[in-house]
Amino acid sequence: MQQPFNTPGTPPGCPAHGNVRLFGPEFGSDPEARYAELRAAGPSAPVDIAPGVEVELVTSYDASLYILQNPAWFVRDSRRWNALNEGRVPADSPALPMLCYRPNALFSDGAAHARLRQAVTDSLATVNELHLIRQVQQSADYLISRFGSELRGQAELMAEYAQPLPLLVFSDLFGCPPEIGDRVIVGISGLFEGTPGADEVLGGALAELIALKRSRPGEDVTTRLMAHPAGLTDEEVLHQLVTLLSGGTAPLAAAIGTSSALYLGEDWQAGLPIEDAVVQTLWNYAPIANYAAHYPTHDVELGGRTLRANDPVLISFAAANTDPKLTEHREQLSGKAHLAFGAGPHACPAKDPAFMIAVTAVESLLNRLPDVELRVPFKDLSWVPAPWSRSLVTVPVRFTPRQVPFAATPQAHTLPDRTPVAPAPQQPAGGPAAHAAPQHKGGLFSRFLAWTRGE
């Protein structure tokens, strides 16, 4: 038996009362307490990721980094999964959509992974930084225009801002026409909400998009994936797009929501830049909390526990980043040493654009609504009780209602003026403020495109 990573003296096994559940209200109310409980078992411990679904969860920063950087002994192909192959995973388990094999870079290894990843990284590398900033600002302006000028002077940032903003940005980057973009947003949103049929809606919309780009190529990520020398099939292109959507939109929404709340929170030190709020979010509230299933190619000894070949081993990015053994020396580490974007051959290929999107989204909010503030203390905000993402349930804010101008060009990244703003004149219920953002037919992306054209 191989012994690549041992921690002598660490008590083996799981907590005495049985597996910790990484789902439900108890976990959601205090995930850090569950991680502390798991650390008492050593660098890893068995947990239930969903009812009837056991995995090994790695909570140690050093052990996580070792596994992420050792693709020879820990592979990503979930078709190896013992319990699934033996019929021990419930057919309707919510863990299946997250862990089941798809023909994309995320679940591939070796040469197959290198081929798919190269196509993805090369295609993303062609995205113009100024265009991306402009797209984020336009998306932010549109969303803020829908609630920022209303007389109520308050909003819920997760549902009205953080969640839809990445969907608008990605629909543009993929080159979606209005109707297809609407269905892509409905499909990906439905996947994360567990809506029946969402997978079919998303797959159908992306298949139509790929067919469209075959006949009419454009300057977009979809076209570049299809034209890449790796020669991806249409099915492979579709699954790479699904991975980019699922791996990009939900974590970005969590990062935008948490960073905004952190910056507006009672403990934030005035004068610190917005970038610091995003960095602290990535360290302390990793948007992808527990994921990256690996399958040992043979039995492996880890801190006194045996990781059986082909049993899933998940990385707790959230627990690894807050590992007490790491936090003692974190000030000496690079600000990018966190594992929020992963590490090794499967590290996020878009970490720099993702960071830029999050920073620009928070900046845009603060520049457009300079007196925005939380209606609830940061410490009292609730977290989604799910294992995969560390995301706030709601971020309720208040502000002075104001007309939000359309941003036609990229703006400099500057801190907003936080001086008090005089209240806007009150308008009657049917006055101009109530109708500042005209309503258009179609879905979110169609309405956004109409707004950018001034319709």
Side-chain angles (χ1 to χ4, degrees), residues 224-258:
R224 292 175 184 125
L225 269 175
M226 297 168 66
H228 193 272
L232 273 60
T233 66
D234 285 359
E235 181 186 19
E236 288 175 329
V237 171
L238 187 150
H239 283 286
Q240 306 324 303
L241 294 177
V242 170
T243 302
L244 289 170
L245 277 167
S246 58
T249 56
L252 266 174
I256 293 168
T258 304

Side-chain angles (χ1 to χ4, degrees), residues 135-409:
Q135 186 62 24
V136 175
Q137 290 178 334
Q138 288 183 350
S139 301
D141 285 350
Y142 169 67
L143 295 169
I144 295 170
S145 77
R146 300 176 73 189
F147 63 77
S149 57
E150 294 182 4
L151 294 178
R152 59 189 171 124
Q154 60 185 37
E156 198 291 280
L157 288 186
M158 287 306 300
E160 297 183 84
Y161 188 71
Q163 291 168 353
L165 189 149
L167 294 169
L168 292 175
V169 172
F170 274 65
S171 294
D172 174 78
L173 292 179
F174 287 4
C176 293
E179 191 272 338
I180 291 180
D182 289 341
R183 288 161 54 210
V184 165
I185 289 176
V186 169
I188 195 66
S189 300
L191 279 183
F192 287 104
E193 295 166 3
T195 305
D199 202 13
E200 290 77 7
V201 171
L202 179 62
L206 292 177
E208 285 187 30
L209 178 63
I210 292 168
L212 175 66
K213 297 303 175 181
R214 286 284 178 207
S215 61
R216 293 190 318 209
E219 295 295 322
D220 51 69
V221 171
T222 304
T223 298
R224 292 175 184 125
L225 269 175
M226 297 168 66
H228 193 272
L232 273 60
T233 66
D234 285 359
E235 181 186 19
E236 288 175 329
V237 171
L238 187 150
H239 283 286
Q240 306 324 303
L241 294 177
V242 170
T243 302
L244 289 170
L245 277 167
S246 58
T249 56
L252 266 174
I256 293 168
T258 304
S259 299
S260 299
L262 194 63
Y263 188 87
L264 297 173
E266 62 277 9
D267 294 330
W268 187 254
Q269 183 178 336
L272 289 179
I274 292 170
E275 285 86 348
D276 281 15
V278 178
V279 169
Q280 285 196 34
T281 293
L282 297 175
W283 271 110
N284 299 325
Y285 311 99
I288 300 178
N290 306 287
Y291 198 52
H294 290 71
Y295 300 83
T297 57
H298 49 264
D299 288 0
V300 175
E301 197 75 18
L302 186 77
R305 287 186 54 76
T306 299
L307 308 183
R308 290 183 58 231
N310 299 325
D311 278 353
V313 179
L314 265 63
I315 305 298
S316 179
F317 301 106
N321 280 349
T322 56
D323 185 342
K325 295 180 180 178
L326 175 70
T327 52
E328 295 173 3
H329 311 287
R330 211 165 79 179
E331 291 184 0
Q332 284 74 48
L333 293 173
S334 162
K336 298 181 179 181
H338 59 76
L339 298 181
F341 292 123
H346 283 88
C348 174
K351 55 185 177 182
D352 291 336
F355 185 84
M356 183 188 306
I357 290 171
V359 170
T360 304
V362 180
E363 286 178 342
S364 296
L365 173 73
L366 297 171
N367 283 327
R368 304 300 183 271
L369 302 174
D371 62 344
V372 64
E373 60 183 12
L374 286 177
R375 302 201 323 259
V376 177
F378 181 85
K379 62 182 178 60
D380 293 336
L381 295 174
S382 299
W383 300 93
V384 173
W388 317 108
S389 176
R390 186 74 190 271
S391 179
L392 289 165
V393 177
T394 61
V395 180
V397 296
R398 57 175 165 252
F399 49 85
T400 302
R402 66 192 61 239
Q403 189 74 23
V404 178
F406 168 67
T409 57

Side-chain angles (χ1 to χ4, degrees), residues 70-108:
N70 192 348
W73 285 0
F74 298 92
V75 298
R76 301 293 295 270
D77 190 338
S78 60
R79 290 174 295 187
R80 292 171 168 265
W81 189 358
N82 285 329
L84 183 64
N85 294 332
E86 295 164 7
R88 294 187 282 115
V89 178
D92 60 349
S93 173
L96 289 178
M98 303 298 293
L99 299 181
C100 268
Y101 174 81
R102 293 177 186 265
N104 59 33
L106 190 64
F107 292 97
S108 302

Side-chain angles (χ1 to χ4, degrees), residues 116-135:
L116 295 173
R117 182 180 174 87
Q118 193 64 52
V120 171
T121 54
D122 289 349
S123 299
L124 291 174
T126 63
V127 175
N128 180 276
E129 180 177 314
L130 288 179
H131 173 81
L132 181 60
I133 292 175
R134 179 183 182 185
Q135 186 62 24

